[in-house]
Amino acid sequence: MSAIKLDAKIPAGPIKDKWERHKFEMKLVNPANKRKYTIIVVGTGLAGGAAAASLGELGYNVLNFCIQDSPRRAHSIAAQGGINAAKNYRNDGDSVYRLFYDTVKGGDYRAREANVYRLAQLSVNIIDQCVAQGVPFAREYGGLLDNRSFGGAQVSRTFYARGQTGQQLLLGAYQSLMRQVNAKTVRMFARREMLDLVIADGKARGIIVRNLVTGEIERHAAHAVVLATGGYGTAYYLSTNAVNSNVTAAWRAHKRGALFANPCFTQIHPTCIPVTGSHQSKLTLMSESLRNDGRVWVPKKQGDTRPPDQIPEDDRDYFLERKYPSFGNLVPRDVASRNIKQVCDEGRGVGKTGLAVYLDFRDAIKRLGVDVIKEKYGNLFQMYEKITDENPYQTPMRIYPAIHYTMGGLWVDYNLMSNVPGLYVLGEANFSDHGANRLGASALMQGLADGYFVIPYTIGDYLATQSPGQVSADQPAFAEGAESVQKRIDQLLSVRGTRTIRSIHRELGKLLWDDVGMARTDASLRRALEKIPALRESFWHEVSVPGKPDNLNQSLEYAGRVADYLEFAELLTLDALHREESCGGHFREESQTPDGEALRDDARYTYAAAWEFKGVGQAPELHKEPLVFDEVHPTQRSYK
Amino acid sequence: MPSPLRAFGSSVGMKLLIGITGLGLFVYLIVHIIGNLMVFFGPEVFNRYAFVLSSNPLIPIIEIGLLLVFVVHVYKTVRMFLANQTTRPITYAKKRYAGPPSRKTLASSTMIVSGLWLLVFIVIHVRTFRFGSHYEWPAGGNDLYRVEMEAFSNPLTVAFYILSMIIVGSHLWHGISSGFQSLGFDHPRWTPRILAAGKLFAVLIAGGFIVIALWAHFIGARP
Amino acid sequence: MRLNLKIWRQSSRDAAGRLEDYTADDVSPDMSFLEMLDVVNEGLIRQGKDPIAFDSDCREGICGMCSLVVNGVAHGPDRGTTVCQLHMRRFRDGDTITIEPWRAKAFPVIKDLVVDRSAFDRIITAGGFVSVNVGGAPDGNSIPIPKHDAETSMDSAACIGCGACVAACKNASAHLFMSAKISHLVLLPQGAVEGRRRVVSMIQQADAEGFGSCSNEGECEAVCPKEIPISNIARMTREYLKALLWA
Ligand SMILES: Cc1cc2nc3c(=O)[nH]c(=O)nc-3n(C[C@H](O)[C@H](O)[C@H](O)COP(=O)(O)OP(=O)(O)OC[C@H]3O[C@@H](n4cnc5c(N)ncnc54)[C@H](O)[C@@H]3O)c2cc1C
Ligand code: HEM
Ligand code: HEM
Ligand code: SF4
Ligand code: F3S
Ligand code: FES
C-alpha cells in the first residue's frame, strides 16, 4: 500500500470554469440504472443528511446511518451564528471571488484553491435550496432575506435564523431526507455506530455497524461509501461539540487505508463559558457576536482577587485593545484565544479557577443603554445566567477558549473521494476547505455544498465505472470486518479494570489541551507523545467497561470512542510536531513574528500532510499534497 | 383526502365534533337558564312562556337535534376517553402540574367524571321535568311551575341539583374555552378573553341554576 | 449537597422496570442535572454496577436528545429549559428527586431512561416536508415573505423534537409537536402549497402510532423547552378543517 500516490484531481482550466467543466466531463449514470446502485451514507448532519437526501432524489438506493435516535439530532443542529453565501444582496462589494479569497486567506493558505472556489460558487445555490425547503431565515421588513456580518468579515454575507441557523438548516435537510424515506429511496438506520469500513478488491464496499439497541453487529454492503461523521473535537474531552461526537468512523477508515490529513489543525473558540469543576462534561459556546460590544480584560496585577466592580480602571488591562489597536476585541478567533491563554498563564486569569477573562458590557450598557444590549444579546445573557447563575448586566461575563472545530480530517480529492476508491468523505470529517483555520459561518456552507451539490455529481462519475446490481455482504472482507469489530468489543469488555472511561478521557483531554492545545512547542509535543501511549496502555489494562454487548450499553460505546481517540491523539500530536510552523489554529511557539503572531513557513510547509496508517504505535507514513496558489498570494496575516 | 367519516374519526376531527357539540350544549344551557329565570316572575309568566315555547312547531325538531348533539357529544367523548386510556400503559410514579401557562385544572382533569355525572343528571332531570307529572294549566299547557316547586320542595332534590350544578360549572370551567380551541379558534387578543369569559359563564350558569333551585325551595314552593 | 434519587431502571424493552434508590453525594450547585447523573454513574461503575442509561448529546438544549421527567415534570422545574440545561442549584441539600423516562405507548422504553422516539420521525416522514428536489430552486429572494410571517414560522420551527409535550400530556398526545411542524411550513409560501395533504397525512400517522388526542390542557406548552404555544394546535385544526372543506 505504500505506493500511494496523492492525486487531487483538480480539473484543468481557469479557476472560475473548473467546476462547470468538470461537471460536463464527468460520466453520468443511466437514470434507469440508478436504483441498482446502493450507496451507504454514514452521518445525518448537514453533510450526510444533505447527501443522503439528494442521492435519494436522484434515485439511488441509499442506506443512511447515524448514532442518535433520530437523524435530526446530528451535531450540526447546534450551530448558532449563520451560514455564508456570496449573494451580495447587500450591494456591499461581495462576490464569489471575495468569499473565495477570504476563505483562502482565513485558512492561512493551507487549503486547496480549486475546492474553495467551488465552495464559494455553490454557496449561492445553498441559500436558494434552503429557502425552497422552508428554512425560515431572518427577513427584513420588505420581506427579503436579512444578512449580518460575522466573524470579522468586511461584508454582510451571513444568512441566519435567529441563533439557531444550524438547527434550521439541518431540519431542512432532515425533512428532505424523510421525504426520501417516504419515497423509499432512502432507508434510515438510526442508533447505529459505524465500527469498520469494508474494502474488497481495493474498493470501499460496505461498513460494519453496531446496532446500539440490540448490540447486533450488522454488515451493510454498497457500491460506494460516503462518510459524513463530523469532527473530532471531543478528543480534548471538553469542547463545544456534542458529547457523542467521535473520530471512530474516520479513524477506522484510516486504519483500513484512508489517509488522514492535517489532524493538527484544530480550532479554538475564544468565547466559551469557563470550566467550573471536574464534573464538567462539555463547554458551551457564547456567540462570537458578543465581542462586538463586550470588552475583554483582566486585572493588571497577578492574583488580584477583588470583585470586578472594585477593580478601578487603572488596574485593568484591556489586553486585546492594547495589543491590536485597529481590530481590538474583534481579532480572529485564534488570535483572541491565544492572548487569553497567555494572560491566564501569567496568573492574571479571573474566577475560581483562574482560567477565565472578563468580557465586560459595562461601557456598552452605559453608551447604548440596557435596552439596546438586551435586544441584541438578551438570549445569550439569559443562557449565560442559566449556566453560571451570574447576571451579566451587572457583573462582567467570564469567558475562556475551548476546542470548537477541527479542520483536519480524512484526505479527499477534488471529487471528495479519499484515496480509497469508492470512499467519499464530506463535511467536517474531511480535511476540508478551511485550511488551517475556519472562518465563522463557513462550516455549514461547506457541509451543505458537499452534500447537496458536489457529491451528487462526483459519485456518479465513479459509479458509472462500477457494475450495477445486487451487492452482497457475504464476502470474506465483511466477515473479517465483523470479526475484528467483535474482537475489539470483547477486548473492551474483558479488561474489567477499575478506572472509569470518563476519567481516562478526561486525562487525555487535559493532556491534549495542555500540550497540544492553543500554544504548542517542540517540548510539549514530545511530552505528549510520551504520555499518550502510556495512557493508552493504562486504558487497556485498567479501564472498567460494565455491562454486556448484547443490548444498549452506553459505556461500551463510549469506551470504543475513547479507545480510538487514544490512538488518534498520537497522530494529531505527531502532525503538530512535524509542522514546524505556525498557521491558523496551529500555533508553534517557536514560529512567531516579533509581535507574537503566527509565522508560517511557506517554503517548507505549503502542503497538506496526509498520513498513512502503519499500525497502532507505529510511525505513520507522511504523504504530501503540495498546495499551489495561482490566485491568492500568501501574505502574513496582520490585525494590528 | 379521507372520507368525512374517517376525517371525524381522527384525533383532530374527533375534537372538532366534541367542540362543536359541547359549545352547542353550552348555548342550549344559556337559553335554558334564561327561560328558567322566568320562574321568578311567578306561575303565570313561567307557564305561559313554557307553553308558547312548546307550541312552536319547530320544537320537536330542535329537541331531536339537541338529542343528536347530546348523543354525539357523549359518544365521541367516551370513545376518546377510552382511546386515551391506552396511550400510556405504564403511568408515572410521580406526576406534577407543570405550572403556567398550562390550562390544566381539577376541572380539566375530570371532564369525563363531570360529563358522566351530567349524563345521569340529565336522564333524571328530563324524566322529572319533561316526562314527569302533568297538571293542566288553565291557559294551556302543563303547570310546569307546580312541577318544579314540587320537585324542589324536597331538600334531597335540591341538594342533588346543587351538586350537579357545581359539576356543570366544573365541566364548563374548562369546556367553554376548550371548545373554541378544539374548533381551531385562536387569536392573540381574543383567546385570553375567551378563557376568562368561559370561566365567568361557567360560574354564572352554575350559580344561576343554584339560585333557582334555592329560591324554589325556600321561597317559591311556600304558598 | 447530598441528594436522594429515585430512578427508573428497566433492563430492556420487554423487561419490567422499577424505581430504585440512589444517593448522590458531593453534588455541586454548578453541575448540570446530567453531569450529576454522570457522577452517579461513575460511582456505579466503580462499584461494578450497571450505570444508568439516559440519552443526551449536545447538552446545550438544542438537539432534543435528553428526555427525563424530573419530579413529575418533563425536563424538570425550570420553564423553557431542557433537562441538560437544568442546574443543580435548583435543588436543596437532602432533596429527593424522582427521575423517570418519557412515558407513552408510542415511546417505548429501550433501557432505563432511554426511549424510542422513532414515531416522531415517521410523523415527519408522512408529510412534514416541502417536496422540492435539489437544484432548480428559484432565487432565495424571488418570493418576499413578510417579516412577521417568517418570525412566526420560526417560532414554531424552533421545536427540537424532544417529545416532552407527549411526556407531559395526560393523553400522550403528539399534537404540539405535529402542529409546530405544520405551522412552521404552512406559514411560509413554500410550505403552504402542499399544506392540506401534509396536515391530513401527519395526523393519520400520529394516530396510527398510538399517540392520544388533545384535551386542550396545555401541559405540553408549559414543559416545552422552546415554549411553543398551543395556538399551533389551533392552527393545525384550522388547516385540517380547510383540508376537509376544500378536499
Ligand atoms: C457550538 C457550535 C456552533 C457552531 N456554529 C457554527 C456556525 O454558526 N456556522 C458554521 O458555519 N459552523 C458552525 N459550527 C460548525 C458546524 O456546526 C459543524 O462543523 C458542522 O455542522 C458539521 O457538520 P457535519 O455534517 O460534517 O457533521 P455532524 O453534524 O457532526 O454530523 C455527524 C453525523 O455523523 C454521525 N456519526 C458520527 N460518528 C458516527 C459513527 N461512528 N457511526 C455512525 N454515524 C456516525 C452522527 O450521528 C451525525 O449524524 C458550530 C459548531 C459548534 C460546535
Ligand atoms: C349539557 C351538557 C354538556 C355540556 C354543556 C358540555 C359541554 C362541553 C364542552 C363545551 C366541552 C369542551 C369541548 C372541547 O374540549 O372541545 C366538553 C368536553 C367534554 N365533555 Fe361535555 N358537555 C356536556 C355533557 C357531557 C356529557 C353528558 C358527557 C359524558 C360523557 C360529557 C363529556 C365530556 C368530556 C369527556 C369532555 C372532554 C373532552 C376532551 O377531553 O377534550 N359532556 N363538554
Ligand atoms: C335548577 C336547574 C334547572 C331547572 C329548574 C330546569 C328546568 C327545566 C324544565 C322546567 C324543563 C322542562 C322543559 C319542557 O318540558 O319543555 C327542563 C328540561 C330540560 N333540561 Fe333543565 N333545568 C335545570 C337545569 C338543567 C341543566 C343543568 C341541564 C343540562 C346539563 C338541563 C337540561 C335539560 C334538558 C336537556 C331538558 C329537556 C329539554 C327538552 O326536552 O326540550 N337542565 N329543565
Ligand atoms: S413541541 Fe416542544 S416539547 Fe414538543 S417536541 Fe417540540 S420542543 Fe419538544
Ligand atoms: S398537554 Fe395534551 S391535552 Fe393537548 S394541549 Fe397539550 S396536547
Ligand atoms: S442534550 Fe441536546 S437538548 Fe439536551
Side-chain angles (χ1 to χ4, degrees), chain B residues 15-29 70 73-75 77-78 80-81 84 108 111-120 122 168 171-172 174-183, chain C residues 170-171 214-216:
Chain B
K15 281 305 305 240
L16 282 167
L17 284 184
I18 293 175
I20 194 95
T21 54
L23 288 182
L25 293 172
F26 162 59
V27 170
Y28 169 74
L29 273 190
F70 188 75
H73 187 77
V74 172
Y75 175 70
T77 50
V78 170
M80 173 176 160
F81 173 78
N84 283 337
S108 76
M111 290 300 273
I112 188 66
V113 179
S114 55
L116 289 175
W117 182 285
L118 280 183
L119 183 61
V120 174
I122 288 171
V168 173
H171 201 73
L172 294 179
H174 177 71
I176 298 173
S177 56
S178 174
F180 280 92
Q181 167 84 5
S182 292
L183 295 180
Chain C
K170 70 168 179 194
N171 306 331
C214 173
S215 300
N216 304 326

Side-chain angles (χ1 to χ4, degrees), chain C residues 5 12 37 42 44 140 155 166 174 205 224-225:
Chain C
L5 307 174
S12 70
L37 288 180
E42 296 274 276
L44 289 178
D155 287 341
V166 174
Q205 186 64 35
C224 172

Side-chain angles (χ1 to χ4, degrees), chain B residues 42-53:
Chain B
E44 282 77 19
V45 178
F46 186 66
N47 284 343
R48 176 154 180 75
Y49 161 77
F51 178 61
V52 170
L53 200 71

